[in-house]
Amino acid sequence: MYSPKLLCHLRWLFEVAGRGADRLSEAPTHPHTIVLFKKATYLWLLFVLLLLLPAAPHFWGPEAYVLALPADSSPVGSALTVMNHPAMVPYWPAFLIGQFAALLLGLSGHCPRLAAIAVFFFTKNLQARGWVVMNGGNNLVELMLLYQIFMAPSTGASRRGTLGTLNNVVTNVAFLAARCQLAVVYLVSGLAKLEGALWPRGVALYYVLNTDEYTHPWGRTLASSDLLVALGTYGTVAFMLAFPWLVWFRKARVALLPVGALLHLNIAFLMGLVDFGTVMLACYTVFFADRWSKAVLRAVWPTGVVLVEAPRSAGEQALYALLRALDWRGALQVTPRDEAPPGLALQGPSAQRALLARLPLALPLVGLYAALDYVGLGRTLARLVPLPSECRVVRGLLPRAT
Amino acid sequence: MKTILRRFAVAIALGWLVWHVLAILLHQGPANPLKSAAGGAVKRYVHPALIDQRFSMFAPEPSTSSLKFLYRYEVEGGAWSSWRDAGAGLLADHQANRFSPKGHLLWMHQGVARNLVRQMAEIDAALPAALRGPPRTRELHRRLMETPDYALARRYVSDLARDEARRSGGGPVCRVEFLYAAVACVPFSQRSQPDAAQRVEYVKFPAASVFPGP
């Protein structure tokens, strides 16, 4: 009745599906990419917050030139538009401070789930209040923040067992949802452009670059070339229609992401939609292979410090205890000399004593570097102005996510 | 966790993902039989507060005209100023430096005008067809002036006018007037014609006494 060949195919299909299911439930498939994706999104939000800060009262204050939309009546909606409630209007700075604190918490890597919820809450409220100046990029980031709440790529022992397995499943599927979301944006956008009047005729870019508010003097020069206008218009549509399919192939992705980055940099600087252009770049990190993300994280947020010898004297042990108390992320290790990685090792007790003596001097400088680390500039500054070794050690112990 | 349960959890999660992607595709996609069949469920699922997918996210058809929001003011004594474009300075600053809030201030400036025009169109559509000519315009203006959008525009323009009058050493401002103008790009087909003119469409809003302020 049943063909043996069909049964064989079905068995193969079940085996493949089973292996896929096991992979999704055993561990987060892209732990480093998730961390990088979250950090890129938080950095973008921090950038926009700092960009708008000088004119913040115009967008969010009691005298803002933006009409407050009525607060959403649903339970979830009302929590996410609480800033629109007339009673909350005087407290608008609290939302900015809350957003800033939530972003720093998220960037530090502590309490990732709590940070993700807080960032989502404050972002939704701020964007709902200043809706007139928000664009598609803000819409996209709201969606990505929602997916990020469900991504917790911890691989520690606490994540084993039933809860750990469920966490892995939820994390991996939320991560896939974020990838699908970006693909859907391009697919719908590409199809909508095909339905329009200007894109199929190859002249859309001419109008974009001749509209005052979406152009730059250089843009008008580019728009005077028919060839560039046609290439730019058709190239944009072709990219948008190709992205949702090709991005799933790793080799194609290597070419696709830089092309997309170029397109969005044009949108950011030529068209002047800086936030929209750059948020797309931040969201591209969701398509990074995990080893790319690991390399980026190591470059921007270097890992901790290794003590080559165990502390022996009472003073060394006291110092070690102090460092352990500072070491929230487990960056401090004690390792035999022959196993110490180069560049991260604090050699011997003498260095520890030196550190103890100069700790009060080192801490303020380290604090500055750590603050810059949060916005991704610490390493750049460290290249320009190298830190003394004891500062490097303390800095290595400060909270950072890897 | 047992393998069967683990695989069941994965199947449930992937099932949700498939539904989620389908729902947002159907929500944004053009009308089709599938959308008609699942329209109600999709609409309920794509919660406006959580996973709203606004069309601006998809960068639709570009605008073919530049939006201007102009204002003028009357100082005590009855002299009206010339029409001023507060957006021009913001635009120049934004083009000179993309890393400033001027771009967002420009969107806000245009948003005030855009919302006012949209409000006006809605009121106009709600007026009876039999009402025509000057009585229709009067009724349109009367209703428009009662809206929060008009009140916001009046307050915004009053603040601009007061600043401008103070800078230019004029007297106290008593009335303001504003208009929305869409300056169309030269059509692509006429781009090389030296005498091609830019078409301008404008909507003038009723003048009002200045909004009280400092």
Side-chain angles (χ1 to χ4, degrees):
Chain A
M1 192 173 165
Y2 297 106
S3 140
K5 204 171 175 182
L6 179 67
L7 283 175
C8 190
H9 282 313
L10 278 176
R11 185 178 295 162
W12 174 81
L13 200 65
F14 275 115
E15 275 176 16
V16 169
R19 277 202 299 273
D22 291 344
R23 189 164 173 256
L24 285 179
S25 58
E26 276 165 2
T29 54
H30 294 75
H32 296 92
T33 298
I34 289 173
V35 171
L36 181 65
F37 174 45
K38 284 186 170 187
K39 281 181 182 280
T41 313
Y42 296 160
L43 279 176
W44 179 83
L45 284 166
L46 194 61
F47 161 68
V48 172
L49 186 66
L50 294 175
L51 188 76
L52 298 187
L53 210 52
H58 293 309
F59 307 126
W60 296 298
E63 299 298 314
Y65 299 120
V66 179
L67 278 184
L69 295 175
D72 197 307
S73 56
S74 66
V76 177
S78 58
L80 297 176
T81 54
V82 70
M83 201 179 170
N84 282 359
H85 196 281
M88 297 303 290
V89 169
Y91 304 106
W92 66 276
F95 285 83
L96 291 185
I97 294 167
Q99 172 78 327
F100 192 71
L103 288 174
L104 288 188
L105 182 68
L107 285 168
S108 76
H110 298 304
C111 316
R113 187 95 68 181
L114 176 70
I117 293 171
V119 170
F120 179 68
F121 169 79
F122 287 114
T123 304
K124 284 289 281 190
N125 268 289
L126 288 169
Q127 296 191 169
R129 177 70 185 94
W131 63 278
V132 166
V133 295
M134 303 303 159
N135 55 41
N138 299 92
N139 190 181
L140 181 64
V141 90
E142 284 175 7
L143 294 165
M144 292 303 190
L145 289 174
L146 180 65
Y147 299 133
Q148 286 178 1
I149 290 175
F150 299 96
M151 297 180 200
S154 171
T155 52
S158 61
R159 291 294 181 192
R160 305 249 159 77
T162 306
L163 277 180
T165 305
L166 286 178
N167 175 70
N168 293 338
V169 173
V170 171
T171 295
N172 287 329
V173 172
F175 178 73
L176 269 175
R179 283 185 160 187
C180 289
Q181 180 68 57
L182 198 59
V184 166
V185 167
Y186 280 120
L187 182 64
V188 174
S189 179
L191 291 175
K193 283 176 168 56
L194 281 184
E195 280 188 349
L198 301 175
W199 292 95
R201 282 167 47 211
V203 296
L205 212 59
Y206 167 83
Y207 287 99
V208 170
L209 296 176
N210 277 299
T211 305
D212 287 348
E213 51 267 39
Y214 297 118
T215 193
H216 187 272
W218 297 351
R220 289 193 197 275
T221 313
L222 290 177
S224 62
S225 161
D226 290 359
L227 182 68
L228 283 179
V229 165
L231 278 178
T233 305
Y234 287 131
T236 304
V237 178
F239 173 80
M240 289 187 165
L241 291 174
F243 187 96
W245 319 109
L246 294 181
V247 77
W248 302 101
F249 301 100
R250 201 168 289 175
K251 284 184 181 170
R253 207 182 296 165
V254 174
L256 208 59
L257 295 184
V259 172
L262 202 64
L263 170 74
H264 290 296
L265 284 174
N266 269 316
I267 291 174
F269 296 107
L270 211 57
M271 286 179 66
L273 296 170
V274 180
D275 49 358
F276 182 76
T278 49
V279 76
M280 294 302 284
L281 299 185
C283 289
Y284 272 11
T285 53
V286 80
F287 276 106
F288 277 22
D290 204 51
R291 59 190 167 85
W292 302 355
S293 304
K294 195 174 178 181
V296 173
L297 285 171
R298 279 205 173 155
V300 181
W301 283 277
T303 48
V305 171
V306 177
L307 292 176
V308 172
E309 289 171 10
R312 282 174 292 192
S313 69
E316 286 168 16
Q317 283 175 3
L319 172 62
Y320 185 67
L322 173 70
L323 295 178
R324 287 301 294 263
L326 278 171
D327 183 19
W328 295 9
R329 301 291 299 176
L332 182 65
Q333 298 167 39
V334 178
T335 306
R337 185 179 296 275
D338 53 349
E339 291 177 18
L344 293 173
L346 178 65
Q347 296 282 347
S350 57
Q352 293 174 37
R353 274 194 293 275
L355 172 60
L356 184 63
R358 295 178 64 178
L359 205 55
L361 287 175
L363 276 175
L365 188 57
V366 167
L368 170 69
Y369 274 79
L372 288 166
D373 253 0
Y374 283 126
V375 291
L377 292 175
R379 195 173 171 83
T380 310
L381 186 65
R383 279 203 191 103
L384 298 174
V385 188
L387 283 170
S389 60
E390 56 270 29
C391 293
R392 280 206 296 275
V393 174
V394 179
R395 183 166 162 257
L397 299 178
L398 285 172
R400 66 186 76 246
T402 53
Chain B
M1 199 176 179
K2 283 184 180 172
T3 306
I4 188 82
L5 285 178
R6 203 167 60 192
R7 290 183 177 179
F8 181 68
V10 171
I12 295 278
L14 287 180
W16 166 81
L17 179 63
V18 170
W19 158 246
H20 176 74
V21 173
L22 265 178
I24 55 178
L25 271 174
L26 284 176
H27 185 256
Q28 284 303 330
N32 60 62
L34 197 57
K35 190 170 181 172
S36 316
V42 166
K43 206 172 177 182
R44 278 192 301 277
Y45 176 73
V46 182
H47 193 289
L50 276 180
I51 50 170
D52 186 20
Q53 318 261 323
R54 293 185 289 275
F55 199 65
S56 62
M57 188 165 71
F58 307 106
E61 200 72 350
S63 169
T64 55
S65 52
S66 306
L67 193 163
K68 310 285 176 197
F69 185 44
L70 308 178
Y71 71 94
R72 62 176 188 160
Y73 57 91
E74 184 188 20
V75 290
E76 275 181 8
W80 280 92
S81 71
S82 58
W83 286 101
R84 314 288 167 116
D85 179 7
L90 292 172
L91 179 63
D93 290 346
H94 180 51
Q95 287 183 340
N97 175 18
R98 297 300 199 192
F99 295 102
S100 80
K102 296 296 174 69
H104 287 80
L105 287 171
L106 179 65
W107 315 144
M108 187 196 71
H109 167 84
Q110 295 187 332
V112 172
R114 201 177 281 121
N115 291 333
L116 201 53
V117 168
R118 190 163 44 223
Q119 188 68 253
M120 199 170 187
E122 278 174 21
I123 294 171
D124 190 45
L127 285 177
L131 191 63
R132 292 173 188 211
R136 186 182 182 91
T137 310
R138 271 197 302 276
E139 179 60 15
L140 179 62
H141 283 181
R142 190 190 65 76
R143 290 193 192 185
L144 182 69
M145 289 174 81
E146 288 172 358
T147 62
D149 291 282
Y150 185 86
L152 177 75
R154 181 180 156 226
R155 178 163 66 85
Y156 175 61
V157 170
S158 297
D159 289 348
L160 288 175
R162 249 191 307 272
D163 276 357
E164 166 69 22
R166 206 172 289 143
R167 272 203 308 273
S168 59
V173 177
C174 56
R175 276 160 66 80
V176 288
E177 193 175 24
F178 33 97
L179 70 82
Y180 164 102
V183 183
C185 302
V186 173
F188 184 77
S189 55
Q190 298 172 21
R191 67 197 179 285
S192 46
Q193 294 174 13
D195 57 342
Q198 285 183 290
R199 198 162 43 84
V200 180
E201 285 178 357
Y202 69 91
V203 180
K204 201 165 157 185
F205 302 104
S209 59
V210 73
F211 189 86

